[in-house]
């Protein structure tokens, strides 16, 4: 296993920046090990919804987890406001960094992650793991 640690600066888009890093590093199978930072705008897809929710304010990233790949990533995030009210959902484009975001990714070098629509399954493109 290999790891990558990188920092995102104010104004960067959290999801797009992670996707760009994964693409630049040619990561075919990885996971988010750790993430801390803050946002001024959050865009999330909440559970069992087909649309995105937008949030304005100052938020701490209190948790982020998921799988990443040049073939598609699936990341969930939890954020909290100044009162500690926490919300979480699918991370999508539109989350803007406030002060920083420190990201640690683990790379699994013996497999490839792909997203495929599987017959008689969820109706979404789901993770399929292939040996390298």
């Amino acid at each position: 296993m290999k790891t990558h640690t990188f920092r995102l600066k104010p104004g960067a888009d959290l999801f797009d920046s992670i996707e760009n890093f994964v693409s630049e590093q040619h990561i075919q199978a990885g996971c988010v090990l750790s993430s801390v930072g803050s946002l001024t705008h959050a865009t999330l897809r909440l559970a069992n919804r087909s649309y995105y929710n937008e949030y304005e304010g100052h938020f701490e990233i209190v948790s982020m987890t998921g799988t990443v790949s040049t073939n598609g990533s699936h990341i969930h995030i939890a954020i909290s406001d100044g009162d500690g009210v926490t919300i979480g959902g699918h991370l999508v484009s539109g989350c803007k960094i406030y002060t920083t975001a420190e990201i640690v990714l683990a790379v699994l070098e013996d497999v490839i992650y792909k997203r495929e629509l599987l017959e008689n399954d969820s109706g979404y493109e789901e993770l399929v793991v292939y040996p390298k």
Side-chain angles (χ1 to χ4, degrees), residues 64-124:
M64 191 165 71
T65 188
T67 55
V68 296
S69 172
T70 53
N71 301 305
S73 298
H74 183 186
I75 303 171
H76 288 191
I77 188 170
I79 58 173
S80 66
D81 66 14
D83 294 320
V85 175
T86 303
I87 190 160
H90 289 270
L91 180 65
V92 296
S93 297
C95 293
K96 298 298 179 191
I97 304 299
Y98 176 42
T99 58
T100 192
E102 302 165 7
I103 314 292
V104 182
L105 300 180
V107 178
L108 309 170
E109 298 174 322
D110 58 342
V111 294
I112 297 171
Y113 289 169
K114 293 194 175 182
R115 299 250 154 224
E116 298 177 5
L117 190 58
L118 303 172
E119 189 174 332
N120 298 320
D121 203 354
S122 69
Y124 294 97

Side-chain angles (χ1 to χ4, degrees), residues 1-8 14-15 17-36 64-70 73-75 91 102-109:
M1 182 173 67
K2 181 179 180 180
T3 61
H4 292 281
T5 303
F6 57 99
R7 176 181 176 252
L8 303 177
L14 180 59
F15 183 78
S17 296
I18 293 169
E19 287 287 88
N20 289 340
F21 186 87
V22 167
S23 178
E24 289 167 4
Q25 297 298 317
H26 309 289
I27 297 172
Q28 294 183 306
C31 66
V32 178
L33 285 180
S34 176
S35 176
V36 295
M64 191 165 71
T65 188
T67 55
V68 296
S69 172
T70 53
S73 298
H74 183 186
I75 303 171
L91 180 65
E102 302 165 7
I103 314 292
V104 182
L105 300 180
V107 178
L108 309 170
E109 298 174 322

